[in-house]
Amino acid sequence: MKTRITELLGIRYPIIQGGMMWVGRAEMAAAVSNAGGLGILTALTQPTPADLAREIERCRSMTDKPFGVNLTLLPSINPPPYDEYLGVIIKSGVQVLETAGNNPGKYIARARAAGIKVIHKCVAIRHALKAQALGADAISIDGFECAGHPGEDDVPGLVLIPLAVRTLTIPVIASGGIADGRGLAAALVMGAEGVNMGTRFCATVEAPIHPDAKQALVDASERDTQLIFRTLHNTARVLKNPISDEVVSIERKGGATFEDIRHLVVGVRGRAALETGTNDGIVSAGQCVGLINDVPTCAELIERMVGECRAHLQNACAWAN
Ligand SMILES: Cc1cc2nc3c(=O)[nH]c(=O)nc-3n(C[C@H](O)[C@H](O)[C@H](O)COP(=O)(O)O)c2cc1C
């Protein structure tokens, strides 16, 4: 497959594994890159910039293919040392940076000055235009279906992706809701030049999470995600479980502050849920869980998606002619 994204990133297939807190470790990223996609490490999963440097080296020992690092820029009372994390990314010779979140300007500029390709991931056309103006090389546009933070506009991919393609001049990567070859084919037909997936890659052999956490994704239907933090205007789409139910019920009472739910949503609890396979914490997941029925290797998944994509594109061409 050849698009501006495969050319930009030096990859065989236009399939990217988006940054994922606690999941985006070397095993995950290297498996995706070895399978012909682009794997991405998640900087903030590593407690310090020095740990990130070691994780990058570990990933490099597992693959000779390009991989990226995600830097998620979230508002915080005690912000992580973003500049130091980026310093490590630059020094380690990583070829691709995925930024997400607020005010990526200075990070995009610094990374590009060091020759790193920057993908900015966002959920709104206005933010995509801003990132393009700031020098991003490509935009991942996340529809409302996505895992993690879909924003507050609630615009799904079927509208957001063609709008992004129409509006931007840099290549667009479709993100959110994609888990199979049909999704890849649809994204390409809409003009996206690649896809970014999160939830689907969690249910793979190499994802560094507990088998029961993977099985929970296989068992879940498209109706098994929930939106938390809506009332705090920081919406997150997560797998529905007793903890997310409790968060939503506290929010529904009205007037809830972050302090009222902090004990339920703390990162250590979410991390433990992924690592032990219990449902005692918040786990990000998108509506495409309804499309996930198995736990293949990353190579099996990617080859299957590419094969299905080609077959579905041919079918659609036959129908259209
Ligand atoms: C478990 C998990 C953790 C995630 N953590 C992050 C994160 O830390 N930073 C980020 O930019 N996106 C994060 N995401 C979002 C993904 O990178 C990607 O944009 C999203 O999953 C795409 O939607 P999909 O799940 O429908 O494929 C996470 C997704 C999942 C499933």
Side-chain angles (χ1 to χ4, degrees):
M1 287 189 169
K2 191 171 164 184
T3 68
R4 281 188 293 171
I5 288 297
T6 59
E7 300 285 290
L8 179 76
L9 305 176
I11 54 177
R12 183 156 180 221
Y13 300 126
I15 299 177
I16 299 167
Q17 165 252 315
M20 290 188 278
M21 197 61 181
W22 311 127
V23 185
R25 300 178 187 273
E27 291 77 8
M28 179 86 266
V32 175
S33 290
N34 282 333
L38 185 84
I40 295 188
L41 297 173
T42 307
L44 301 184
T45 292
Q46 302 303 320
T48 67
D51 290 305
L52 176 61
R54 281 188 282 275
E55 191 69 1
I56 291 170
E57 279 320 303
R58 216 162 66 79
C59 194
R60 193 162 280 137
S61 74
M62 296 179 188
T63 183
D64 56 1
K65 303 280 191 312
F67 61 89
V69 178
N70 163 287
L71 196 58
T72 303
L73 306 157
L74 292 175
S76 162
I77 300 165
N78 294 311
Y82 287 121
D83 287 303
E84 286 174 44
Y85 277 103
L86 183 57
V88 162
I89 293 166
I90 291 171
K91 203 165 158 221
S92 307
V94 167
Q95 287 125 304
V96 183
L97 171 71
E98 180 194 54
T99 52
N102 304 320
N103 302 321
K106 72 170 179 170
Y107 305 100
I108 294 177
R110 206 174 139 208
R112 290 209 70 210
I116 298 177
K117 308 288 183 223
V118 181
I119 301 169
H120 182 65
K121 189 169 62 187
C122 56
V123 296
I125 300 299
R126 60 192 185 285
H127 299 153
L129 279 168
K130 183 82 194 295
Q132 175 175 267
L134 288 167
D137 294 283
I139 295 292
S140 269
I141 195 92
D142 246 332
F144 187 49
E145 313 88 327
C146 74
H149 290 276
E152 310 306 317
D153 295 343
D154 302 1
V155 183
L158 210 52
V159 174
L160 214 44
I161 298 160
L163 257 186
V165 170
R166 278 194 212 175
T167 314
L168 302 171
T169 54
I170 56 176
V172 170
I173 300 158
S175 183
I178 296 161
D180 62 12
R182 284 192 167 88
L184 174 56
L188 294 175
V189 170
M190 284 192 280
E193 298 183 54
V195 296
N196 180 66
M197 306 193 299
T199 308
R200 176 65 266 199
F201 279 121
C202 290
T204 57
V205 169
E206 296 92 341
I209 61 175
H210 195 279
D212 291 350
K214 299 177 189 181
Q215 192 57 41
L217 297 175
V218 171
D219 294 341
S221 83
E222 72 281 9
R223 300 176 65 226
D224 289 326
T225 71
Q226 225 169 2
L227 297 171
I228 62 169
F229 303 151
R230 278 248 102 158
T231 59
L232 305 177
H233 307 293
N234 185 26
T235 301
R237 188 180 292 284
V238 302
L239 198 62
K240 183 172 159 49
N241 68 17
I243 306 299
S244 68
D245 276 338
E246 204 178 330
V247 173
V248 168
S249 81
I250 293 171
E251 288 194 79
R252 280 200 183 129
K253 284 183 197 147
T257 66
F258 187 69
E259 287 314 309
D260 298 323
I261 52 175
R262 181 194 289 273
H263 61 291
L264 298 167
V265 303
V266 280
V268 283
R269 224 166 143 168
R271 178 183 182 170
L274 285 168
E275 288 175 359
T276 62
T278 59
N279 56 12
D280 189 43
I282 294 294
V283 171
S284 293
Q287 291 178 316
C288 68
V289 279
L291 295 170
I292 297 173
N293 304 117
D294 62 356
V295 182
T297 64
C298 288
E300 286 164 353
L301 172 65
I302 287 178
E303 291 297 334
R304 182 171 76 197
M305 279 185 67
V306 168
E308 284 175 0
C309 169
R310 289 182 172 137
H312 291 304
L313 287 174
Q314 275 175 6
N315 281 348
C317 277
W319 290 335
N321 286 312

